[in-house]
Amino acid sequence: MAHTVRPTDHLRTESLMEDEFGARLAKVERLRARGEDPYPVRFDRTHTLDEVREHWDDQIDPGASTDDRVRIAGRVMLKRTQGRLVFANVRDGSGELQLFVSQGELGADAFARFGDEIDRGDWVGVEGKVMKTKVGELSVNVSSFILLAKALRPLPEKWHGLSDTDTRYRQRYVDLIANDDARRVFDVRFAAIDAIRRFLADRGFVEVETPVLHAIPGGAAARPFATHHNALDVDLYLRVAPELYLKRLVVGGYDKVFELARVFRNEGLSTRHNPEFTMLELYEAFADYFDMMRLTEELIADAARHATGGTTVEWDGAKIDLTPPFERRTMVDLVREHAGVDVHPSQPVEALRAACDALNVPWEPSWRSGKLVLEIYEKTTEANILEPTFVCDYPRDVSPLARTHRDDPTLTERFELIVHGRELANAFSELNDPVEQLRRFEAQASLKQLGDEEAHGIDVDYVRALEFGLPPTGGMGLGVDRLVMLLAGVTSIREVILFPHLRPEAERS
RNA sequence: GCGCCCCUAGCUCAACUGGUUAGAGCAUCAGACUCUUAAUCUGCAGGUUCCGGGUUCGAGUCCCGGGGGGCGUACCA
């Protein structure tokens, strides 16, 4: 790869070649001709840019200089030339700082090289004394500099940034350089995830890793991505949920486990769906779904505080209060309130079909009572739940992994957390009776035979694990991307995923 | 999958109902300027108007097909 003068690049246009790209490439060659390396191997810095600011900002008067020398490095974000003086703003991972570059300090030769050869976008390392300009801007008075990496492509417009969504998602690196808000959103994401890890570690949870390649996709009703293992000659599936493996670990004696799991679902894309997304799943032995409610609301509030500084967020034009406790309502109550009908999975199928017809909710002949109730809830009620609400007690026949409700055999001890009409989390008192679990799997399998592609298959090893005894256990799954959307105040999941799924970029020869 | 909308210079945007040679700012390039903050000023250059067809005396603009994207919808425990 030595001395690739004109890198193959189908995105580059002739004009760019002649203008920015070519001009910058020429500068690289100029450096090489002088025996300098335009891509040196390393640079010793004494401070990050924020460390310089923290240490010196309130120590220097405007127009004054110190004798303190620092070596700093960063990307040139702006450059303002003023005769024999150049102001440049550089940025590193910690922050931004101004470079004060004068011919007097640098000497005529080096000063001319800085002006000619350092472009906006380049990485530079500099050494100099910490000072403040007459108007009080903390700066480093550059006495020597070195190009650390040449940027051949120009940065987007300095004021308007980059707004083309296609480019922002495909070339996220440019988005992150050019758009402060993109960085802010991902800072929220990383802070929230960090908070979740600490929160759970503080409560004795162990972070574990379970397989991504599954022989039997289970734990959620979703279409999987299929793949193939050549050496074993078996079909495998990317996981749609880590649930069944995590509960195997509880059987094995890890009584508080969690996984921040990338999961994959082969379904449509939307502002709330990406084919791969991040799910937090946790399991706690000896707990039930009421314990999961307390844990979930505290975990979300804690993540909100760490990522945003508070527990109220503004999202899609609404103020949302994430301060615990969240409301707890049953599904049938909420349907009564929003749709004005009394439905319950104990009612006969015919009555529930009539209720569907009255509410204009389409139904299918194969649906049983529980599915009909769920459908009525989803079509009439869910989108209207605005305040954070635990929607409790889902029908049994749509919840194959949840324990039957202690007071009602047609329901399960399951809740979903709904915020502003969107599902954030799903949890239950886990079904730990192996005989009943097998019956539920068999019911799912018959649905699958009737053509329901999302129904569970029978995972006999999972049943075997239950036969060794799963203690009473509460489990919860939370859509991390959706939580981040809420905390960051963005309405598209693509804004919170660094590299969201897009169609492959067209090749052009 | 379906519906609506969008795609113009490296970036951000213009171009009346179809009418000269598609404009501007930033960036680049050449020049002036030693305290700027999106620095300022002067000048040059920069275009396959996403791609391919069609209608027309004439297409960035209208029509057809394709590509990419956005939003909505469907699917999605």
Side-chain angles (χ1 to χ4, degrees), chain A residues 98-151:
Chain A
Q98 178 168 274
L99 302 182
F100 183 91
V101 186
S102 73
Q103 181 171 319
E105 182 73 17
L106 254 183
D109 275 7
F111 180 81
R113 279 194 289 110
F114 190 93
D116 290 344
E117 290 170 8
I118 302 298
D119 292 308
R120 187 165 169 262
D122 291 354
W123 290 92
V124 293
V126 309
E127 181 171 339
K129 291 176 180 169
V130 183
M131 57 160 294
K132 257 188 191 169
T133 62
K134 287 174 186 169
V135 293
E137 179 82 27
L138 185 69
S139 307
V140 169
N141 188 359
V142 176
S143 53
S144 69
F145 73 93
I146 180 172
L147 176 66
L148 295 178
K150 188 72 191 172

Side-chain angles (χ1 to χ4, degrees), chain A residues 306-350:
Chain A
H306 279 87
T308 73
T311 54
T312 56
V313 295
E314 202 165 327
W315 194 80
D316 202 15
K319 276 215 157 56
I320 298 172
D321 188 356
L322 297 171
T323 312
F326 299 165
E327 240 190 291
R328 299 180 183 191
R329 303 287 303 279
T330 66
M331 178 183 289
V332 296
D333 265 1
L334 286 162
V335 170
R336 187 181 307 118
E337 181 181 317
H338 286 91
V341 291
D342 266 303
V343 294
H344 194 279
S346 61
Q347 293 166 0
V349 166
E350 296 73 32

Side-chain angles (χ1 to χ4, degrees), chain A residues 279-487:
Chain A
M279 194 151 91
L280 167 69
E281 280 204 14
L282 61 86
Y283 292 87
E284 179 178 358
F286 320 119
D288 65 8
Y289 75 148
F290 294 111
D291 297 303
M292 291 299 106
M293 289 181 212
R294 286 187 284 275
L295 189 70
T296 301
E297 63 198 7
E298 282 169 26
L299 179 142
I300 288 173
D302 181 73
R305 276 190 293 268
H306 279 87
T308 73
T311 54
T312 56
V313 295
E314 202 165 327
W315 194 80
D316 202 15
K319 276 215 157 56
I320 298 172
D321 188 356
L322 297 171
T323 312
F326 299 165
E327 240 190 291
R328 299 180 183 191
R329 303 287 303 279
T330 66
M331 178 183 289
V332 296
D333 265 1
L334 286 162
V335 170
R336 187 181 307 118
E337 181 181 317
H338 286 91
V341 291
D342 266 303
V343 294
H344 194 279
S346 61
Q347 293 166 0
V349 166
E350 296 73 32
L352 291 166
R353 285 175 179 171
C356 282
D357 291 338
L359 293 163
N360 257 324
V361 174
W363 51 270
E364 289 184 22
S366 62
W367 291 355
R368 295 186 290 168
S369 294
K371 174 69 176 167
L372 289 162
V373 170
L374 178 68
E375 200 67 16
I376 289 170
Y377 158 74
E378 285 184 349
K379 290 288 189 293
T380 65
T381 303
E382 190 175 74
N384 300 316
I385 301 169
L386 301 179
E387 289 304 305
T389 302
F390 292 117
V391 179
C392 301
D393 302 347
Y394 275 58
R396 207 180 77 138
D397 53 87
V398 295
S399 312
L401 300 167
R403 170 191 283 266
T404 302
H405 197 282
R406 62 194 80 178
D407 300 324
D408 185 337
T410 65
L411 298 175
T412 53
E413 298 203 352
R414 170 182 170 192
F415 70 79
E416 285 196 0
L417 172 61
I418 307 295
V419 180
H420 210 72
R422 300 174 190 228
E423 176 196 342
L424 255 197
N426 181 24
F428 17 97
S429 305
E430 300 296 335
L431 173 56
N432 64 346
D433 176 342
V435 176
E436 185 179 350
Q437 182 67 75
L438 182 60
R439 273 202 299 268
R440 301 260 202 110
F441 274 151
E442 282 166 351
Q444 288 285 308
S446 60
L447 288 178
K448 206 176 187 89
Q449 287 213 301
L450 291 171
D452 184 348
E453 287 184 66
E454 283 147 10
H456 277 79
I458 301 179
D459 188 334
V460 293
D461 175 72
Y462 177 68
V463 175
R464 179 168 59 194
L466 295 187
E467 288 165 358
F468 280 94
L470 173 69
T473 297
M476 192 275 284
L478 177 135
V480 171
D481 310 276
R482 290 185 183 175
L483 175 62
V484 174
M485 286 168 67
L486 195 64
L487 299 182

Side-chain angles (χ1 to χ4, degrees), chain A residues 77 91 156-157 161-162 173-180 183:
Chain A
M77 298 304 296
R91 182 199 287 162
E157 217 263 351
L162 177 69
Y173 36 89
V174 182
D175 189 32
L176 292 168
I177 295 167
N179 294 325
D180 292 344
R183 286 196 305 283

